[in-house]
Amino acid sequence: PPIEPKIKKNFEEIMKIKRVRRKESKILKIIMAARFDPVKNHKLALKLFDYFNGEFILDFYGNGMNYENLELKTLIKKTLVNSNDSNLGLKGEVDDLLSKFLDYDYILLTSTQEGLPITIIEASQNALIPIASNVGDTINAASGYGFFFESNIFPDLVEKFKKARLILDQDCY
């Protein structure tokens, strides 16, 4: 069954909220909430960030997503070729993750496999639209709303990201 949103707004109302936030901030904000693990495919997220020269904010939340993680720091250093990490945030674990969702335009999920996509369910309940790999039951967890790409297919992720950005930027400038 569809996920019951905690924020009682339809898709267009949510997009209006996001467009107002975007108009005020002038920079796209993406959150990725996933523990540091190869299956979560942070490398693909970093590759997207680098492909767009770090022109959007990408904040990583979750276990191991902090500056003390040497493996993550090495991955960042190896992946970022065209950009620096000035718009990349390593936020780590936080107690109030759901309260952060309205501060972001989209949630990014680049997993290569997914059991129960809890983060996508929580995002859907809190007016945060996903740009997500089509793995597990991601599309159903998002009640069909979002931008879904084939897992680990970078050109497909870039295409969906461009569509998401274009839709959000309508009437912003």
Side-chain angles (χ1 to χ4, degrees), residues 21-22 25-29 54-57 87 105 173:
R21 197 215 59 76
R22 175 89 162 98
S25 75
K26 302 291 187 214
I27 190 164
L28 187 68
K29 290 182 72 178
E55 68 183 39
F56 59 90
I57 291 172
N87 284 337
D105 298 305
Y173 302 106

Side-chain angles (χ1 to χ4, degrees), residues 93-149:
E93 288 185 89
V94 294
D95 293 331
D96 60 344
L97 180 63
L98 297 181
S99 70
K100 309 267 187 235
F101 282 176
L102 276 178
D103 295 335
Y104 291 91
D105 298 305
Y106 293 105
I107 189 166
L108 181 63
L109 176 85
T110 54
S111 298
T112 56
Q113 59 186 354
E114 195 70 45
L116 179 61
I118 293 171
T119 302
I120 298 299
I121 292 170
E122 292 171 337
S124 295
Q125 290 178 320
N126 290 281
L128 190 56
I129 297 165
I131 301 169
S133 53
N134 182 7
V135 294
D137 210 15
T138 306
I139 293 173
N140 287 336
S143 297
Y145 292 116
F147 302 89
F148 305 98
F149 63 94

